[in-house]
Amino acid sequence: MEVRSKGEVIYEAVALNDVVLHSGKSVHMIDFDLNIDGQYVYRQHSDGLIVSTPTGSTAYALSGGGPIVHPSMDAIVLVPMHPHTLSSRPIVVGGQSEIKIQIRENRVLPMVSADGQHSVSLSVGDSLHIRKHPYKLNLLHPPGYDFYMASGFMMNIEQMLAVLNPEIVGRLKTAVEIGKWPNGVALTKEQREICMQAVYAWEIQHLPKTERSGYIDRGTKEEGEQCDDDHIVPS
C-alpha cells in the first residue's frame, strides 16, 4: 500500500489481511472515489472501505459482510463499510488489480491502516494505491488442517464422523471449550451442539469408556464400604 500526496509517496505499508480506510474516532462518514486498474468504479459516502486479501477475508472483511475467499484464490476483496446507498455491494477482483482510492473533501480527516496497525491521516486529494506484494508468503498449518472447518463451515454429524481423526477431534473440543474457532470466529449455538455430538459419537466408536470426555472414575468399593449411590432410593 502507498499513500500519495501531490504525486509523491508519503507513506508505505504491507498487510497480510487487509488495508482499511476509515473515519477514525469520528462518527461522520467519509467521501471518496474508487478506481480499479485505472477504471472509475464509483463515488462512495460511507464509514470506509476494507480492501482484503483471501487470508483476510475471514477477518474484518467477513464482519463487514464480505465473502469468504479460499486462500488458493488470487483475488482482492473490497467491502464497503456501512455505505449510504442501497446498491453498494462487496466486489472481488483479480489479484493483479491495482486499487486506487481518491480522497474527496470531508468534514473529518479519513485515516488508513494496514492490518490494524498505525493509522495515517489523509487529506483532500491524497490517494491510496493498493496492489499485491511481489513476494509470496508461505503459511504453515498443522497436519490435518481443514480450511472449511477452521472457517466455521459445518457438516452434518455423519459427514463429520467420516473425516474426523484424533487431531481434528482435539480441535473441536478446544473450540467448544473456548467458544470460538481457531480463526477467532465465535461458534453459534447450533455449531457448538453439532461439535459436541460429533465428538461424543466419535469417542464412542474409537475410545474405551475410561478415555471418553466426561468420564468419572468412581473407583471400586472395598468390602463393607458404602458409596453415596447406595443411599439413593429409586422412585
Side-chain angles (χ1 to χ4, degrees):
M1 175 195 73
E2 293 179 349
V3 177
R4 299 180 187 176
S5 181
K6 298 179 181 179
E8 295 186 3
V9 177
I10 60 173
Y11 181 76
E12 293 180 289
V14 176
L16 171 63
N17 291 316
D18 48 48
V19 171
V20 180
L21 173 68
H22 58 96
S23 57
K25 297 181 180 180
S26 172
V27 295
H28 294 291
M29 291 186 172
I30 54 179
D31 205 8
F32 58 90
D33 293 321
L34 173 67
N35 291 267
I36 300 176
D37 291 330
Q39 182 175 351
Y40 179 79
V41 179
Y42 56 58
R43 174 181 178 179
Q44 189 170 100
H45 194 57
S46 67
D47 285 346
L49 183 70
I50 304 170
V51 182
S52 169
T53 66
T55 299
S57 69
T58 57
Y60 194 18
L62 180 64
S63 301
I68 293 178
V69 180
H70 194 277
S72 65
M73 298 291 291
D74 185 16
I76 298 175
V77 182
L78 295 90
V79 182
M81 298 167 60
H82 304 101
H84 192 244
T85 175
L86 297 176
S87 59
S88 183
R89 294 291 184 270
I91 302 174
V92 179
V93 298
Q96 303 301 322
S97 299
E98 179 164 339
I99 312 300
K100 178 184 177 182
I101 302 171
Q102 190 81 32
I103 305 302
R104 286 178 167 267
E105 186 172 354
N106 289 279
R107 297 174 61 182
V108 297
L109 286 178
M111 307 189 78
V112 63
S113 63
D115 281 347
Q117 302 301 313
H118 177 66
S119 292
V120 177
S121 298
L122 304 172
S123 301
V124 179
D126 288 352
S127 59
L128 299 178
H129 296 259
I130 304 167
R131 59 183 177 274
K132 185 173 71 173
H133 197 278
Y135 297 108
K136 292 184 178 181
L137 175 67
N138 293 320
L139 298 179
L140 300 179
H141 295 294
Y145 173 81
D146 188 312
F147 167 77
Y148 300 104
M149 186 171 293
S151 299
F153 289 100
M154 292 300 298
M155 302 173 279
N156 59 41
I157 293 179
E158 290 74 18
Q159 291 174 318
M160 291 186 69
L161 288 175
V163 299
L164 288 184
N165 58 43
E167 185 171 351
I168 295 178
V169 169
R171 294 209 303 270
L172 289 178
K173 291 169 69 173
T174 299
V176 170
E177 291 171 0
I178 65 177
K180 57 185 178 181
W181 297 107
N183 65 352
V185 177
L187 269 72
T188 64
K189 181 179 179 181
E190 179 184 4
Q191 290 173 341
R192 182 183 177 89
E193 291 176 352
I194 292 178
C195 285
M196 293 174 65
Q197 293 174 24
V199 168
Y200 182 67
W202 185 88
E203 289 184 345
I204 288 178
Q205 292 182 6
H206 298 87
L207 298 180
K209 183 177 180 180
T210 55
E211 296 181 17
R212 297 173 192 167
S213 300
Y215 173 76
I216 299 176
D217 185 1
R218 297 182 180 277
T220 56
K221 292 191 298 182
E222 298 291 339
E223 185 176 352
E225 182 182 5
Q226 289 186 329
C227 294
D228 292 340
D229 291 348
D230 295 338
H231 300 287
I232 297 177
V233 179
S235 57

